[in-house]
Amino acid sequence: MTAGAEAECVDLLVVGAAEVLTCGGTDAGPARGPAQADVGAVRDGAVAIHGGQIVEVGARARLERAYGRHARRIVDARGGVVLPGFVDAHTHLVFAGDRAAEWEARMAGVPYLELLARGGGIRSTVRATRAASLETLLLHARRWLSRAVEHGTTTLEAKSGYGLERATELRLLRVIEALRTEVPIELVSTFLGAHVVPDEHRERRDGYLELLEELHVEIARTGLAEYVDVFCEQEAFTVDEAERLLRHAAGLGFGLKLHAEQFTASGAAALGARLGAVSIDHLEHASEASCRALGAAARPPVAVLLPGVAFHLGEERHAPGRALVDAGVPVAIATDFNPGSSFTPSIPACIALGARTLGLSVAECIVAATRNAAHAVGRGADRGSLVRGRRADVLVCDVPDHRWLGYSFGWNPVRTVIAGGRVVRDRASAGDTRPAPG
Ligand code: NIG
Ligand code: FE
């Protein structure tokens, strides 16, 4: 089909948007520096979709002329904002139990790493998860995944990491695999066996590293995960251990991710860059000097920032979002959905938090949760922007302009979710999105 051709048949035409945000940019890579703020807004725009892909984005009048009479379905955005589906590039989707009591202790002043050192934190979720069947885990993950989709997530990365033993880690990856066949969105799976060293290996850490290497081999053979991640932190894994595990995983063909410098400036971010990780995540304690060093690389990894964590844990220190963007590091925003450090499946909530705590504009946060987040899971060529030929993952939000996605918070602005060209969620509009005349 030729862009702009007269009266062509399309599956779906989205019209009536105050703004369509293409988040497209001018080159194929992630947005860096000033490009991070370029949402590619088309005023009074429309989107034509066919065969699961974007056919054209442009002025409403022109697209209505070209496709209006032959569109199988028309979605009226009613003065809202249309943008690419969100890519949640960092979640711990599959687990059992909850940590409400620990969260209350944290709010009363007990540090996160102290809860972990006392045998709580990740370790308490591991105990609950080991005891849960595949069916229980599936039911629970399905429920949270559905909430994520309601909030506009159309691609979601999900990590294992609450098993820390062969059988349970594989069970978690199988839950992700099973969900993949039932949901309309795409799941990207990551093996995070290196979340913490489990109690039974505490006296012999090396034995656990060896087990993880064996699991890398098994998971590479079965194709149960695409990425390998390591939590590099006090109480978890050292920089040297992370390097050993990531090099081993890279040798087997895995893409690499790294939980880096969440509580300690350890040098893990530089390690991730040196090993060619697709993303380095967290970075709350990364120094401005290390941001500049990351930005100097020809192709730095995507920095996946998780503003829900500082909010959820009541931490005062936030990731240096402004310094990263100014240094030329592509920044993504994700939820880090998990029961301990960020219990939200909502990307809109994280955009609102990011715009308040990371030193980024709303436009930069939107590009972070779409185009750059797609690159953070190796899907940048295929989604994350509304560009001809990309997968048609499209949202309609009940807000009058894109700044409202950060400005207004605490409710779900996503009305319609289109994934792979199909409308998968469509709730009644709350009405006219224009502000009341003042
Ligand atoms: O990304 N930092 C390590 N992992 C998670 C927390 C997991 C948990 O507390 O259960 C995170 O914040
Ligand atoms: Fe995490």
Side-chain angles (χ1 to χ4, degrees), residues 90 92 99 112 121-122 125 162 192 195 231 259 262-263 282 306 309 336 338-342:
H90 184 138
H92 304 253
R99 308 229 294 270
Y112 177 88
I122 294 168
T125 301
Y162 292 118
L192 177 63
H195 206 177
F231 182 22
H259 280 69
Q262 180 177 4
F263 296 104
H282 279 288
L306 308 163
V309 175
D336 197 11
N338 77 79
S341 67
S342 183

mmCIF file with all atom_site columns, all heavy atoms in Angstrom, residues 90 92 99 112 121-122 125 162 192 195 231 259 262-263 282 306 309 336 338-342, ligand 1:
data_model
loop_
_atom_site.group_PDB
_atom_site.id
_atom_site.type_symbol
_atom_site.label_atom_id
_atom_site.label_alt_id
_atom_site.label_comp_id
_atom_site.label_asym_id
_atom_site.label_entity_id
_atom_site.label_seq_id
_atom_site.pdbx_PDB_ins_code
_atom_site.Cartn_x
_atom_site.Cartn_y
_atom_site.Cartn_z
_atom_site.occupancy
_atom_site.B_iso_or_equiv
_atom_site.pdbx_formal_charge
_atom_site.auth_seq_id
_atom_site.auth_comp_id
_atom_site.auth_asym_id
_atom_site.auth_atom_id
_atom_site.pdbx_PDB_model_num
ATOM   1   N N   . HIS A 1 90  ? 10.925 -3.052  32.241 1.00 0.00 ? 90  HIS A N   1
ATOM   2   C CA  . HIS A 1 90  ? 11.528 -3.635  33.457 1.00 0.00 ? 90  HIS A CA  1
ATOM   3   C C   . HIS A 1 90  ? 10.419 -3.986  34.446 1.00 0.00 ? 90  HIS A C   1
ATOM   4   O O   . HIS A 1 90  ? 9.855  -3.111  35.101 1.00 0.00 ? 90  HIS A O   1
ATOM   5   C CB  . HIS A 1 90  ? 12.493 -2.609  34.072 1.00 0.00 ? 90  HIS A CB  1
ATOM   6   C CG  . HIS A 1 90  ? 13.256 -3.099  35.282 1.00 0.00 ? 90  HIS A CG  1
ATOM   7   N ND1 . HIS A 1 90  ? 14.607 -2.824  35.471 1.00 0.00 ? 90  HIS A ND1 1
ATOM   8   C CD2 . HIS A 1 90  ? 12.873 -3.812  36.372 1.00 0.00 ? 90  HIS A CD2 1
ATOM   9   C CE1 . HIS A 1 90  ? 15.005 -3.349  36.616 1.00 0.00 ? 90  HIS A CE1 1
ATOM   10  N NE2 . HIS A 1 90  ? 13.968 -3.947  37.201 1.00 0.00 ? 90  HIS A NE2 1
ATOM   11  N N   . HIS A 1 92  ? 9.120  -7.286  37.360 1.00 0.00 ? 92  HIS A N   1
ATOM   12  C CA  . HIS A 1 92  ? 9.282  -8.596  38.003 1.00 0.00 ? 92  HIS A CA  1
ATOM   13  C C   . HIS A 1 92  ? 7.855  -9.135  38.138 1.00 0.00 ? 92  HIS A C   1
ATOM   14  O O   . HIS A 1 92  ? 7.288  -9.161  39.227 1.00 0.00 ? 92  HIS A O   1
ATOM   15  C CB  . HIS A 1 92  ? 9.948  -8.443  39.367 1.00 0.00 ? 92  HIS A CB  1
ATOM   16  C CG  . HIS A 1 92  ? 11.282 -7.733  39.336 1.00 0.00 ? 92  HIS A CG  1
ATOM   17  N ND1 . HIS A 1 92  ? 12.477 -8.383  39.524 1.00 0.00 ? 92  HIS A ND1 1
ATOM   18  C CD2 . HIS A 1 92  ? 11.611 -6.425  39.131 1.00 0.00 ? 92  HIS A CD2 1
ATOM   19  C CE1 . HIS A 1 92  ? 13.478 -7.503  39.459 1.00 0.00 ? 92  HIS A CE1 1
ATOM   20  N NE2 . HIS A 1 92  ? 12.971 -6.308  39.219 1.00 0.00 ? 92  HIS A NE2 1
ATOM   21  N N   . ARG A 1 99  ? 4.246  -8.071  50.332 1.00 0.00 ? 99  ARG A N   1
ATOM   22  C CA  . ARG A 1 99  ? 5.176  -7.557  51.353 1.00 0.00 ? 99  ARG A CA  1
ATOM   23  C C   . ARG A 1 99  ? 4.599  -6.303  52.002 1.00 0.00 ? 99  ARG A C   1
ATOM   24  O O   . ARG A 1 99  ? 5.314  -5.339  52.276 1.00 0.00 ? 99  ARG A O   1
ATOM   25  C CB  . ARG A 1 99  ? 6.547  -7.300  50.711 1.00 0.00 ? 99  ARG A CB  1
ATOM   26  C CG  . ARG A 1 99  ? 7.094  -8.518  49.938 1.00 0.00 ? 99  ARG A CG  1
ATOM   27  C CD  . ARG A 1 99  ? 8.514  -8.855  50.276 1.00 0.00 ? 99  ARG A CD  1
ATOM   28  N NE  . ARG A 1 99  ? 9.457  -7.850  49.887 1.00 0.00 ? 99  ARG A NE  1
ATOM   29  C CZ  . ARG A 1 99  ? 10.090 -7.785  48.715 1.00 0.00 ? 99  ARG A CZ  1
ATOM   30  N NH1 . ARG A 1 99  ? 9.870  -8.699  47.793 1.00 0.00 ? 99  ARG A NH1 1
ATOM   31  N NH2 . ARG A 1 99  ? 10.953 -6.833  48.476 1.00 0.00 ? 99  ARG A NH2 1
ATOM   32  N N   . TYR A 1 112 ? 15.685 -0.574  53.146 1.00 0.00 ? 112 TYR A N   1
ATOM   33  C CA  . TYR A 1 112 ? 15.406 -1.711  52.247 1.00 0.00 ? 112 TYR A CA  1
ATOM   34  C C   . TYR A 1 112 ? 16.493 -2.781  52.363 1.00 0.00 ? 112 TYR A C   1
ATOM   35  O O   . TYR A 1 112 ? 16.196 -3.966  52.496 1.00 0.00 ? 112 TYR A O   1
ATOM   36  C CB  . TYR A 1 112 ? 15.310 -1.173  50.807 1.00 0.00 ? 112 TYR A CB  1
ATOM   37  C CG  . TYR A 1 112 ? 15.097 -2.212  49.732 1.00 0.00 ? 112 TYR A CG  1
ATOM   38  C CD1 . TYR A 1 112 ? 13.824 -2.625  49.370 1.00 0.00 ? 112 TYR A CD1 1
ATOM   39  C CD2 . TYR A 1 112 ? 16.175 -2.776  49.053 1.00 0.00 ? 112 TYR A CD2 1
ATOM   40  C CE1 . TYR A 1 112 ? 13.624 -3.567  48.373 1.00 0.00 ? 112 TYR A CE1 1
ATOM   41  C CE2 . TYR A 1 112 ? 15.996 -3.719  48.063 1.00 0.00 ? 112 TYR A CE2 1
ATOM   42  C CZ  . TYR A 1 112 ? 14.722 -4.113  47.713 1.00 0.00 ? 112 TYR A CZ  1
ATOM   43  O OH  . TYR A 1 112 ? 14.535 -5.048  46.729 1.00 0.00 ? 112 TYR A OH  1
ATOM   44  N N   . GLY A 1 121 ? 12.600 -9.034  52.506 1.00 0.00 ? 121 GLY A N   1
ATOM   45  C CA  . GLY A 1 121 ? 12.758 -8.468  51.163 1.00 0.00 ? 121 GLY A CA  1
ATOM   46  C C   . GLY A 1 121 ? 12.614 -9.541  50.099 1.00 0.00 ? 121 GLY A C   1
ATOM   47  O O   . GLY A 1 121 ? 11.708 -10.388 50.157 1.00 0.00 ? 121 GLY A O   1
ATOM   48  N N   . ILE A 1 122 ? 13.526 -9.513  49.138 1.00 0.00 ? 122 ILE A N   1
ATOM   49  C CA  . ILE A 1 122 ? 13.479 -10.486 48.034 1.00 0.00 ? 122 ILE A CA  1
ATOM   50  C C   . ILE A 1 122 ? 13.362 -11.905 48.592 1.00 0.00 ? 122 ILE A C   1
ATOM   51  O O   . ILE A 1 122 ? 12.615 -12.735 48.078 1.00 0.00 ? 122 ILE A O   1
ATOM   52  C CB  . ILE A 1 122 ? 14.744 -10.333 47.156 1.00 0.00 ? 122 ILE A CB  1
ATOM   53  C CG1 . ILE A 1 122 ? 14.734 -8.970  46.455 1.00 0.00 ? 122 ILE A CG1 1
ATOM   54  C CG2 . ILE A 1 122 ? 14.849 -11.458 46.134 1.00 0.00 ? 122 ILE A CG2 1
ATOM   55  C CD1 . ILE A 1 122 ? 16.058 -8.581  45.801 1.00 0.00 ? 122 ILE A CD1 1
ATOM   56  N N   . THR A 1 125 ? 9.824  -12.991 49.392 1.00 0.00 ? 125 THR A N   1
ATOM   57  C CA  . THR A 1 125 ? 9.058  -13.325 48.173 1.00 0.00 ? 125 THR A CA  1
ATOM   58  C C   . THR A 1 125 ? 9.535  -14.660 47.590 1.00 0.00 ? 125 THR A C   1
ATOM   59  O O   . THR A 1 125 ? 8.746  -15.427 47.041 1.00 0.00 ? 125 THR A O   1
ATOM   60  C CB  . THR A 1 125 ? 9.171  -12.184 47.142 1.00 0.00 ? 125 THR A CB  1
ATOM   61  O OG1 . THR A 1 125 ? 8.674  -10.990 47.742 1.00 0.00 ? 125 THR A OG1 1
ATOM   62  C CG2 . THR A 1 125 ? 8.364  -12.472 45.885 1.00 0.00 ? 125 THR A CG2 1
ATOM   63  N N   . TYR A 1 162 ? 12.552 -14.870 41.505 1.00 0.00 ? 162 TYR A N   1
ATOM   64  C CA  . TYR A 1 162 ? 12.051 -15.157 42.851 1.00 0.00 ? 162 TYR A CA  1
ATOM   65  C C   . TYR A 1 162 ? 12.032 -16.666 43.104 1.00 0.00 ? 162 TYR A C   1
ATOM   66  O O   . TYR A 1 162 ? 11.287 -17.145 43.951 1.00 0.00 ? 162 TYR A O   1
ATOM   67  C CB  . TYR A 1 162 ? 10.657 -14.553 43.057 1.00 0.00 ? 162 TYR A CB  1
ATOM   68  C CG  . TYR A 1 162 ? 10.640 -13.041 43.098 1.00 0.00 ? 162 TYR A CG  1
ATOM   69  C CD1 . TYR A 1 162 ? 9.940  -12.303 42.148 1.00 0.00 ? 162 TYR A CD1 1
ATOM   70  C CD2 . TYR A 1 162 ? 11.331 -12.343 44.091 1.00 0.00 ? 162 TYR A CD2 1
ATOM   71  C CE1 . TYR A 1 162 ? 9.908  -10.917 42.194 1.00 0.00 ? 162 TYR A CE1 1
ATOM   72  C CE2 . TYR A 1 162 ? 11.318 -10.955 44.136 1.00 0.00 ? 162 TYR A CE2 1
ATOM   73  C CZ  . TYR A 1 162 ? 10.607 -10.253 43.198 1.00 0.00 ? 162 TYR A CZ  1
ATOM   74  O OH  . TYR A 1 162 ? 10.586 -8.885  43.245 1.00 0.00 ? 162 TYR A OH  1
ATOM   75  N N   . LEU A 1 192 ? 16.645 -13.718 35.645 1.00 0.00 ? 192 LEU A N   1
ATOM   76  C CA  . LEU A 1 192 ? 17.308 -12.981 36.728 1.00 0.00 ? 192 LEU A CA  1
ATOM   77  C C   . LEU A 1 192 ? 17.568 -13.939 37.896 1.00 0.00 ? 192 LEU A C   1
ATOM   78  O O   . LEU A 1 192 ? 17.216 -13.683 39.035 1.00 0.00 ? 192 LEU A O   1
ATOM   79  C CB  . LEU A 1 192 ? 16.451 -11.767 37.149 1.00 0.00 ? 192 LEU A CB  1
ATOM   80  C CG  . LEU A 1 192 ? 16.929 -10.904 38.321 1.00 0.00 ? 192 LEU A CG  1
ATOM   81  C CD1 . LEU A 1 192 ? 18.262 -10.227 38.029 1.00 0.00 ? 192 LEU A CD1 1
ATOM   82  C CD2 . LEU A 1 192 ? 15.892 -9.850  38.698 1.00 0.00 ? 192 LEU A CD2 1
ATOM   83  N N   . HIS A 1 195 ? 19.479 -12.681 41.365 1.00 0.00 ? 195 HIS A N   1
ATOM   84  C CA  . HIS A 1 195 ? 18.752 -11.615 42.066 1.00 0.00 ? 195 HIS A CA  1
ATOM   85  C C   . HIS A 1 195 ? 19.399 -11.439 43.446 1.00 0.00 ? 195 HIS A C   1
ATOM   86  O O   . HIS A 1 195 ? 19.832 -10.337 43.783 1.00 0.00 ? 195 HIS A O   1
ATOM   87  C CB  . HIS A 1 195 ? 17.267 -11.997 42.157 1.00 0.00 ? 195 HIS A CB  1
ATOM   88  C CG  . HIS A 1 195 ? 16.339 -10.832 42.277 1.00 0.00 ? 195 HIS A CG  1
ATOM   89  N ND1 . HIS A 1 195 ? 14.976 -10.962 42.319 1.00 0.00 ? 195 HIS A ND1 1
ATOM   90  C CD2 . HIS A 1 195 ? 16.564 -9.499  42.373 1.00 0.00 ? 195 HIS A CD2 1
ATOM   91  C CE1 . HIS A 1 195 ? 14.421 -9.761  42.425 1.00 0.00 ? 195 HIS A CE1 1
ATOM   92  N NE2 . HIS A 1 195 ? 15.364 -8.864  42.470 1.00 0.00 ? 195 HIS A NE2 1
ATOM   93  N N   . PHE A 1 231 ? 21.377 -8.498  39.555 1.00 0.00 ? 231 PHE A N   1
ATOM   94  C CA  . PHE A 1 231 ? 21.216 -7.430  40.552 1.00 0.00 ? 231 PHE A CA  1
ATOM   95  C C   . PHE A 1 231 ? 22.591 -7.223  41.190 1.00 0.00 ? 231 PHE A C   1
ATOM   96  O O   . PHE A 1 231 ? 23.036 -8.019  42.017 1.00 0.00 ? 231 PHE A O   1
ATOM   97  C CB  . PHE A 1 231 ? 20.169 -7.844  41.602 1.00 0.00 ? 231 PHE A CB  1
ATOM   98  C CG  . PHE A 1 231 ? 19.870 -6.799  42.660 1.00 0.00 ? 231 PHE A CG  1
ATOM   99  C CD1 . PHE A 1 231 ? 20.128 -5.452  42.460 1.00 0.00 ? 231 PHE A CD1 1
ATOM   100 C CD2 . PHE A 1 231 ? 19.297 -7.182  43.868 1.00 0.00 ? 231 PHE A CD2 1
ATOM   101 C CE1 . PHE A 1 231 ? 19.833 -4.499  43.431 1.00 0.00 ? 231 PHE A CE1 1
ATOM   102 C CE2 . PHE A 1 231 ? 18.985 -6.245  44.850 1.00 0.00 ? 231 PHE A CE2 1
ATOM   103 C CZ  . PHE A 1 231 ? 19.266 -4.901  44.633 1.00 0.00 ? 231 PHE A CZ  1
ATOM   104 N N   . HIS A 1 259 ? 20.871 -4.574  36.792 1.00 0.00 ? 259 HIS A N   1
ATOM   105 C CA  . HIS A 1 259 ? 20.395 -3.698  37.871 1.00 0.00 ? 259 HIS A CA  1
ATOM   106 C C   . HIS A 1 259 ? 21.646 -3.008  38.428 1.00 0.00 ? 259 HIS A C   1
ATOM   107 O O   . HIS A 1 259 ? 22.452 -3.652  39.118 1.00 0.00 ? 259 HIS A O   1
ATOM   108 C CB  . HIS A 1 259 ? 19.751 -4.513  38.994 1.00 0.00 ? 259 HIS A CB  1
ATOM   109 C CG  . HIS A 1 259 ? 18.342 -4.942  38.748 1.00 0.00 ? 259 HIS A CG  1
ATOM   110 N ND1 . HIS A 1 259 ? 17.988 -5.864  37.814 1.00 0.00 ? 259 HIS A ND1 1
ATOM   111 C CD2 . HIS A 1 259 ? 17.182 -4.564  39.355 1.00 0.00 ? 259 HIS A CD2 1
ATOM   112 C CE1 . HIS A 1 259 ? 16.665 -6.052  37.853 1.00 0.00 ? 259 HIS A CE1 1
ATOM   113 N NE2 . HIS A 1 259 ? 16.154 -5.270  38.780 1.00 0.00 ? 259 HIS A NE2 1
ATOM   114 N N   . GLN A 1 262 ? 21.717 1.014   42.254 1.00 0.00 ? 262 GLN A N   1
ATOM   115 C CA  . GLN A 1 262 ? 20.442 1.395   42.882 1.00 0.00 ? 262 GLN A CA  1
ATOM   116 C C   . GLN A 1 262 ? 20.681 2.030   44.248 1.00 0.00 ? 262 GLN A C   1
ATOM   117 O O   . GLN A 1 262 ? 20.090 3.061   44.576 1.00 0.00 ? 262 GLN A O   1
ATOM   118 C CB  . GLN A 1 262 ? 19.535 0.163   43.025 1.00 0.00 ? 262 GLN A CB  1
ATOM   119 C CG  . GLN A 1 262 ? 18.190 0.473   43.673 1.00 0.00 ? 262 GLN A CG  1
ATOM   120 C CD  . GLN A 1 262 ? 17.266 -0.731  43.746 1.00 0.00 ? 262 GLN A CD  1
ATOM   121 O OE1 . GLN A 1 262 ? 17.637 -1.845  43.379 1.00 0.00 ? 262 GLN A OE1 1
ATOM   122 N NE2 . GLN A 1 262 ? 16.056 -0.528  44.227 1.00 0.00 ? 262 GLN A NE2 1
ATOM   123 N N   . PHE A 1 263 ? 21.526 1.394   45.063 1.00 0.00 ? 263 PHE A N   1
ATOM   124 C CA  . PHE A 1 263 ? 21.792 1.917   46.410 1.00 0.00 ? 263 PHE A CA  1
ATOM   125 C C   . PHE A 1 263 ? 23.254 2.330   46.597 1.00 0.00 ? 263 PHE A C   1
ATOM   126 O O   . PHE A 1 263 ? 23.580 3.003   47.559 1.00 0.00 ? 263 PHE A O   1
ATOM   127 C CB  . PHE A 1 263 ? 21.433 0.864   47.473 1.00 0.00 ? 263 PHE A CB  1
ATOM   128 C CG  . PHE A 1 263 ? 19.958 0.526   47.494 1.00 0.00 ? 263 PHE A CG  1
ATOM   129 C CD1 . PHE A 1 263 ? 19.485 -0.655  46.942 1.00 0.00 ? 263 PHE A CD1 1
ATOM   130 C CD2 . PHE A 1 263 ? 19.029 1.403   48.049 1.00 0.00 ? 263 PHE A CD2 1
ATOM   131 C CE1 . PHE A 1 263 ? 18.126 -0.966  46.960 1.00 0.00 ? 263 PHE A CE1 1
ATOM   132 C CE2 . PHE A 1 263 ? 17.672 1.106   48.062 1.00 0.00 ? 263 PHE A CE2 1
ATOM   133 C CZ  . PHE A 1 263 ? 17.222 -0.078  47.519 1.00 0.00 ? 263 PHE A CZ  1
ATOM   134 N N   . HIS A 1 282 ? 17.968 1.344   36.867 1.00 0.00 ? 282 HIS A N   1
ATOM   135 C CA  . HIS A 1 282 ? 18.000 1.979   38.204 1.00 0.00 ? 282 HIS A CA  1
ATOM   136 C C   . HIS A 1 282 ? 18.852 3.246   38.183 1.00 0.00 ? 282 HIS A C   1
ATOM   137 O O   . HIS A 1 282 ? 18.344 4.333   38.005 1.00 0.00 ? 282 HIS A O   1
ATOM   138 C CB  . HIS A 1 282 ? 18.496 1.030   39.316 1.00 0.00 ? 282 HIS A CB  1
ATOM   139 C CG  . HIS A 1 282 ? 17.430 0.128   39.811 1.00 0.00 ? 282 HIS A CG  1
ATOM   140 N ND1 . HIS A 1 282 ? 16.384 0.560   40.580 1.00 0.00 ? 282 HIS A ND1 1
ATOM   141 C CD2 . HIS A 1 282 ? 17.246 -1.204  39.635 1.00 0.00 ? 282 HIS A CD2 1
ATOM   142 C CE1 . HIS A 1 282 ? 15.606 -0.461  40.872 1.00 0.00 ? 282 HIS A CE1 1
ATOM   143 N NE2 . HIS A 1 282 ? 16.096 -1.543  40.297 1.00 0.00 ? 282 HIS A NE2 1
ATOM   144 N N   . LEU A 1 306 ? 13.554 4.145   36.978 1.00 0.00 ? 306 LEU A N   1
ATOM   145 C CA  . LEU A 1 306 ? 12.398 3.508   37.612 1.00 0.00 ? 306 LEU A CA  1
ATOM   146 C C   . LEU A 1 306 ? 11.902 4.402   38.743 1.00 0.00 ? 306 LEU A C   1
ATOM   147 O O   . LEU A 1 306 ? 12.117 4.110   39.928 1.00 0.00 ? 306 LEU A O   1
ATOM   148 C CB  . LEU A 1 306 ? 12.844 2.128   38.132 1.00 0.00 ? 306 LEU A CB  1
ATOM   149 C CG  . LEU A 1 306 ? 13.558 1.259   37.065 1.00 0.00 ? 306 LEU A CG  1
ATOM   150 C CD1 . LEU A 1 306 ? 14.338 0.125   37.692 1.00 0.00 ? 306 LEU A CD1 1
ATOM   151 C CD2 . LEU A 1 306 ? 12.565 0.729   36.046 1.00 0.00 ? 306 LEU A CD2 1
ATOM   152 N N   . VAL A 1 309 ? 10.308 3.440   42.236 1.00 0.00 ? 309 VAL A N   1
ATOM   153 C CA  . VAL A 1 309 ? 11.048 2.834   43.351 1.00 0.00 ? 309 VAL A CA  1
ATOM   154 C C   . VAL A 1 309 ? 11.292 3.850   44.470 1.00 0.00 ? 309 VAL A C   1
ATOM   155 O O   . VAL A 1 309 ? 10.987 3.584   45.635 1.00 0.00 ? 309 VAL A O   1
ATOM   156 C CB  . VAL A 1 309 ? 12.385 2.226   42.852 1.00 0.00 ? 309 VAL A CB  1
ATOM   157 C CG1 . VAL A 1 309 ? 13.202 1.706   44.025 1.00 0.00 ? 309 VAL A CG1 1
ATOM   158 C CG2 . VAL A 1 309 ? 12.123 1.107   41.858 1.00 0.00 ? 309 VAL A CG2 1
ATOM   159 N N   . ASP A 1 336 ? 9.284  -1.148  36.990 1.00 0.00 ? 336 ASP A N   1
ATOM   160 C CA  . ASP A 1 336 ? 9.916  -2.049  37.963 1.00 0.00 ? 336 ASP A CA  1
ATOM   161 C C   . ASP A 1 336 ? 8.850  -2.754  38.805 1.00 0.00 ? 336 ASP A C   1
ATOM   162 O O   . ASP A 1 336 ? 9.078  -3.036  39.986 1.00 0.00 ? 336 ASP A O   1
ATOM   163 C CB  . ASP A 1 336 ? 10.906 -1.304  38.872 1.00 0.00 ? 336 ASP A CB  1
ATOM   164 C CG  . ASP A 1 336 ? 11.866 -2.258  39.588 1.00 0.00 ? 336 ASP A CG  1
ATOM   165 O OD1 . ASP A 1 336 ? 11.898 -3.440  39.234 1.00 0.00 ? 336 ASP A OD1 1
ATOM   166 O OD2 . ASP A 1 336 ? 12.567 -1.804  40.504 1.00 0.00 ? 336 ASP A OD2 1
ATOM   167 N N   . ASN A 1 338 ? 7.003  -4.848  41.058 1.00 0.00 ? 338 ASN A N   1
ATOM   168 C CA  . ASN A 1 338 ? 7.390  -5.961  41.925 1.00 0.00 ? 338 ASN A CA  1
ATOM   169 C C   . ASN A 1 338 ? 6.791  -5.718  43.310 1.00 0.00 ? 338 ASN A C   1
ATOM   170 O O   . ASN A 1 338 ? 6.392  -4.594  43.619 1.00 0.00 ? 338 ASN A O   1
ATOM   171 C CB  . ASN A 1 338 ? 8.923  -6.124  41.973 1.00 0.00 ? 338 ASN A CB  1
ATOM   172 C CG  . ASN A 1 338 ? 9.595  -5.083  42.853 1.00 0.00 ? 338 ASN A CG  1
ATOM   173 O OD1 . ASN A 1 338 ? 9.596  -5.204  44.068 1.00 0.00 ? 338 ASN A OD1 1
ATOM   174 N ND2 . ASN A 1 338 ? 10.143 -4.029  42.247 1.00 0.00 ? 338 ASN A ND2 1
ATOM   175 N N   . PRO A 1 339 ? 6.719  -6.758  44.169 1.00 0.00 ? 339 PRO A N   1
ATOM   176 C CA  . PRO A 1 339 ? 6.016  -6.584  45.448 1.00 0.00 ? 339 PRO A CA  1
ATOM   177 C C   . PRO A 1 339 ? 6.835  -5.842  46.501 1.00 0.00 ? 339 PRO A C   1
ATOM   178 O O   . PRO A 1 339 ? 6.295  -5.490  47.550 1.00 0.00 ? 339 PRO A O   1
ATOM   179 C CB  . PRO A 1 339 ? 5.781  -8.027  45.905 1.00 0.00 ? 339 PRO A CB  1
ATOM   180 C CG  . PRO A 1 339 ? 6.920  -8.785  45.310 1.00 0.00 ? 339 PRO A CG  1
ATOM   181 C CD  . PRO A 1 339 ? 7.171  -8.144  43.973 1.00 0.00 ? 339 PRO A CD  1
ATOM   182 N N   . GLY A 1 340 ? 8.130  -5.587  46.220 1.00 0.00 ? 340 GLY A N   1
ATOM   183 C CA  . GLY A 1 340 ? 8.968  -5.001  47.263 1.00 0.00 ? 340 GLY A CA  1
ATOM   184 C C   . GLY A 1 340 ? 9.306  -3.545  47.064 1.00 0.00 ? 340 GLY A C   1
ATOM   185 O O   . GLY A 1 340 ? 9.177  -2.734  47.976 1.00 0.00 ? 340 GLY A O   1
ATOM   186 N N   . SER A 1 341 ? 9.750  -3.192  45.850 1.00 0.00 ? 341 SER A N   1
ATOM   187 C CA  . SER A 1 341 ? 10.300 -1.837  45.708 1.00 0.00 ? 341 SER A CA  1
ATOM   188 C C   . SER A 1 341 ? 9.483  -0.928  44.802 1.00 0.00 ? 341 SER A C   1
ATOM   189 O O   . SER A 1 341 ? 9.766  0.274   44.739 1.00 0.00 ? 341 SER A O   1
ATOM   190 C CB  . SER A 1 341 ? 11.746 -1.904  45.200 1.00 0.00 ? 341 SER A CB  1
ATOM   191 O OG  . SER A 1 341 ? 11.786 -2.396  43.890 1.00 0.00 ? 341 SER A OG  1
ATOM   192 N N   . SER A 1 342 ? 8.475  -1.476  44.099 1.00 0.00 ? 342 SER A N   1
ATOM   193 C CA  . SER A 1 342 ? 7.661  -0.611  43.235 1.00 0.00 ? 342 SER A CA  1
ATOM   194 C C   . SER A 1 342 ? 6.410  -1.378  42.823 1.00 0.00 ? 342 SER A C   1
ATOM   195 O O   . SER A 1 342 ? 6.383  -2.036  41.792 1.00 0.00 ? 342 SER A O   1
ATOM   196 C CB  . SER A 1 342 ? 8.454  -0.194  41.989 1.00 0.00 ? 342 SER A CB  1
ATOM   197 O OG  . SER A 1 342 ? 7.693  0.695   41.210 1.00 0.00 ? 342 SER A OG  1
HETATM 198 O O1  . NIG B 2 .   ? 14.416 -3.817  40.820 1.00 0.00 ? 1   NIG B O1  1
HETATM 199 N N1  . NIG B 2 .   ? 16.617 -4.369  42.982 1.00 0.00 ? 1   NIG B N1  1
HETATM 200 C C1  . NIG B 2 .   ? 16.348 -5.542  42.878 1.00 0.00 ? 1   NIG B C1  1
HETATM 201 N N2  . NIG B 2 .   ? 15.211 -6.027  42.429 1.00 0.00 ? 1   NIG B N2  1
HETATM 202 C C2  . NIG B 2 .   ? 13.986 -5.332  42.490 1.00 0.00 ? 1   NIG B C2  1
HETATM 203 C C3  . NIG B 2 .   ? 13.387 -5.405  43.825 1.00 0.00 ? 1   NIG B C3  1
HETATM 204 C C4  . NIG B 2 .   ? 12.787 -6.701  44.030 1.00 0.00 ? 1   NIG B C4  1
HETATM 205 C C5  . NIG B 2 .   ? 12.163 -6.874  45.365 1.00 0.00 ? 1   NIG B C5  1
HETATM 206 O O2  . NIG B 2 .   ? 12.340 -6.054  46.283 1.00 0.00 ? 1   NIG B O2  1
HETATM 207 O O3  . NIG B 2 .   ? 11.455 -7.878  45.446 1.00 0.00 ? 1   NIG B O3  1
HETATM 208 C C6  . NIG B 2 .   ? 14.143 -3.927  41.995 1.00 0.00 ? 1   NIG B C6  1
HETATM 209 O O4  . NIG B 2 .   ? 13.974 -2.938  42.717 1.00 0.00 ? 1   NIG B O4  1
#
